[in-house]
């Protein structure tokens, strides 16, 4: 069973832009629809869609439209009542598949709601993986995920924890020495974590450099178990303490890249639940990510759309890293 926590869920509203989007210009659009989103929600939906047990834990006011959008979803939903309405994130899609995302900050959660969410997570004591995913609502303590990990470690020492976040919350986890089994940055998030956000494109286009950077993180931070680094159309790299691999997929027709990273993480987790080794988990991650980009908006692929056999994996010879000083 997989339990996800989404502290900042969203209604994902997709707008199809007429013509090309131009900064400062005027364009028409067609509203395509709303989906219940947020990274942990998407992961739970994908895992549930693969026939596995998943629960999405999140805050939402009792009659928020977000909850109606979740009716009939493939996973269990545990909504902790909150007074903060669920944010609306916009996805602007152009004909050629270019996706522009405008994300709202999300409203700060009351301390009592925060506590109730963590308590709900702790009650899921048969979860094989706990996933903490997405940004934190505005005004949250950037170390909130790190504090939640510390509580989970104390209460459930054996649980495996995956974190998919960015910026300060990710830095608080990694640099603060939290013990997590997996992080899933993209190249830009990894570059920012390493202190040079400008290097994101370079990492995305150079899987060897990306793997070296991921491996360096593992060497510098004992708390980290593995890094699943997504590289857009370049597939993904998985760096673990036992080896590093690259997975790539033949090109696909891209409709929307929203949710591709969540799908990749889901693929890894679904393969892990099936007892597959790391290299095959990577193949599943890449296959899920590739299937996701062929779907509109933040639609998450069901397992029948996913073909891990189309993914080529190779072992990366990552140079040995000098032990860090001190
Ligand atoms: O603000 P966050 O939490 O980083 O990102 C939120 C979000 O962009 O992530 C999902 C796609 O990954 C969407 O469902 C959602 O709108």
């Amino acid at each position: 069973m997989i339990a996800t926590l989404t502290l900042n869920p969203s209604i994902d509203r997709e707008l199809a832009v007429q013509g090309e989007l131009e900064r400062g210009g005027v364009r028409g659009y067609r509203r395509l629809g709303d989906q219940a989103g947020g990274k942990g929600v998407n992961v739970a939906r994908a895992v549930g869609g693969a026939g596995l047990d998943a629960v999405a834990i999140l805050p939402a006011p009792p009659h928020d439209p977000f909850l109606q959008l979740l009716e009939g979803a493939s996973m269990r939903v545990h909504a902790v009542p909150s007074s903060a309405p669920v944010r609306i994130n916009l996805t602007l899609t152009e004909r050629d598949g270019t996706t522009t995302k405008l994300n709202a900050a999300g409203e700060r959660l009351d301390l009592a709601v925060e506590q109730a969410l963590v308590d709900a997570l702790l009650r899921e004591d048969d979860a094989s993986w706990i996933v903490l995913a997405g940004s934190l609502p505005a005004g949250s303590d950037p170390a909130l995920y790190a504090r939640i990990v510390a509580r989970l470690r104390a209460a459930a020492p054996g649980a495996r924890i995956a974190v998919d976040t960015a910026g300060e919350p990710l830095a608080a986890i990694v640099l603060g020495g939290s013990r997590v089994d997996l992080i899933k940055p993209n190249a830009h998030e990894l570059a920012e974590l390493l202190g040079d956000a400008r290097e994101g494109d370079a990492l995305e286009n150079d899987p060897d450099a990306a793997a070296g950077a991921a491996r360096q993180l593992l060497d510098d931070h004992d708390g980290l178990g593995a890094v699943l680094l997504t590289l857009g159309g370049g597939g993904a790299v998985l760096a673990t303490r036992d080896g590093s691999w690259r997975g790539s997929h033949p090109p696909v027709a891209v409709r929307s890249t929203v949710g591709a990273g969540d799908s990749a993480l889901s693929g890894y987790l679904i393969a892990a639940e099936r007892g597959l080794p790391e290299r095959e988990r990577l193949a599943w991650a890449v296959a899920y990510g590739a299937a996701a980009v062929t779907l509109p908006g933040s639609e998450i692929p069901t397992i029948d759309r996913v073909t891990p056999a189309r993914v080529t994996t190779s072992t990366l010879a990552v140079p040995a890293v000098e032990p860090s000083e001190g």
Side-chain angles (χ1 to χ4, degrees), residues 182-309:
L182 182 75
I183 58 169
K184 195 229 65 68
N186 60 34
H188 299 276
E189 292 160 351
L190 180 65
E192 189 185 354
L193 181 63
L194 295 173
D196 193 351
R198 290 165 309 171
E199 287 300 309
D201 284 338
L203 286 182
E204 189 161 288
N205 296 320
D206 184 347
D208 287 320
R215 180 67 222 194
Q216 175 85 52
L217 265 193
L218 293 182
D219 284 352
D220 289 350
H221 302 287
D222 289 346
L224 277 186
V227 180
L228 174 61
L229 175 61
T230 48
L231 300 173
V237 158
L238 177 64
T240 73
R241 295 195 174 275
D242 301 324
S244 302
W245 302 271
R246 179 188 180 194
S248 52
H249 191 280
V252 293
V254 176
R255 284 184 73 183
S256 163
T257 52
V258 183
D262 310 339
S263 298
L265 175 57
S266 307
Y268 176 97
L269 295 170
I270 290 164
E273 286 290 90
R274 293 180 162 209
L276 299 177
E278 295 287 356
R279 188 170 174 152
E280 284 176 56
R281 295 180 193 183
L282 172 64
W284 277 73
V286 173
Y288 257 88
V293 299
T294 65
L295 298 171
S298 40
E299 204 177 307
I300 297 296
T302 46
I303 197 162
D304 50 303
R305 287 180 170 270
V306 178
T307 326

Side-chain angles (χ1 to χ4, degrees), residues 10-321:
S10 56
I11 293 175
D12 290 343
R13 179 159 298 165
E14 190 186 4
L15 309 177
V17 177
Q18 281 160 9
E20 260 179 39
L21 202 57
E22 185 200 353
R23 225 176 132 218
V26 176
R27 291 290 178 270
Y29 71 83
R30 225 164 17 96
R31 190 168 150 182
L32 294 182
D34 289 352
Q35 283 169 19
K39 296 190 182 345
V41 174
N42 294 340
V43 169
R45 184 185 283 117
V47 172
L52 301 173
D53 187 15
V55 60
I57 299 170
L58 48 91
H63 300 293
D64 198 282
F66 172 86
L67 293 177
Q68 285 154 26
L69 291 170
L70 276 177
E71 277 166 18
S74 56
M75 73 290 198
R76 290 182 287 128
V77 176
H78 183 146
V80 170
S82 90
S83 57
V86 173
R87 63 183 167 149
I88 297 179
N89 288 347
L90 300 179
T91 304
L92 310 181
T93 313
E94 291 167 72
R95 243 188 129 84
D96 65 356
T98 306
T99 312
T100 305
K101 200 105 173 29
L102 299 175
N103 283 359
E107 282 186 33
R108 189 184 184 144
L109 299 173
D110 295 341
L111 210 58
V113 175
E114 228 174 79
Q115 289 295 338
L117 286 160
V118 179
D119 290 344
L121 197 54
L122 289 170
R123 277 197 297 277
E124 299 293 339
D125 50 9
D126 60 339
S128 41
W129 281 90
I130 292 173
V131 180
L132 310 178
S135 59
L136 299 174
S140 304
D141 170 10
L144 179 54
Y145 277 140
R147 288 195 281 112
I148 293 175
V149 169
R151 267 197 76 187
L152 290 171
R153 283 290 171 223
R160 283 172 294 173
I161 301 176
V163 179
D164 180 6
T165 191
E168 285 187 285
L170 179 61
I173 292 265
V174 174
L175 310 182
S178 297
R179 242 175 4 95
V180 296
D181 298 275
L182 182 75
I183 58 169
K184 195 229 65 68
N186 60 34
H188 299 276
E189 292 160 351
L190 180 65
E192 189 185 354
L193 181 63
L194 295 173
D196 193 351
R198 290 165 309 171
E199 287 300 309
D201 284 338
L203 286 182
E204 189 161 288
N205 296 320
D206 184 347
D208 287 320
R215 180 67 222 194
Q216 175 85 52
L217 265 193
L218 293 182
D219 284 352
D220 289 350
H221 302 287
D222 289 346
L224 277 186
V227 180
L228 174 61
L229 175 61
T230 48
L231 300 173
V237 158
L238 177 64
T240 73
R241 295 195 174 275
D242 301 324
S244 302
W245 302 271
R246 179 188 180 194
S248 52
H249 191 280
V252 293
V254 176
R255 284 184 73 183
S256 163
T257 52
V258 183
D262 310 339
S263 298
L265 175 57
S266 307
Y268 176 97
L269 295 170
I270 290 164
E273 286 290 90
R274 293 180 162 209
L276 299 177
E278 295 287 356
R279 188 170 174 152
E280 284 176 56
R281 295 180 193 183
L282 172 64
W284 277 73
V286 173
Y288 257 88
V293 299
T294 65
L295 298 171
S298 40
E299 204 177 307
I300 297 296
T302 46
I303 197 162
D304 50 303
R305 287 180 170 270
V306 178
T307 326
R310 295 194 73 201
V311 177
T312 308
T313 56
S314 53
T315 304
L316 290 169
V318 177
V321 172

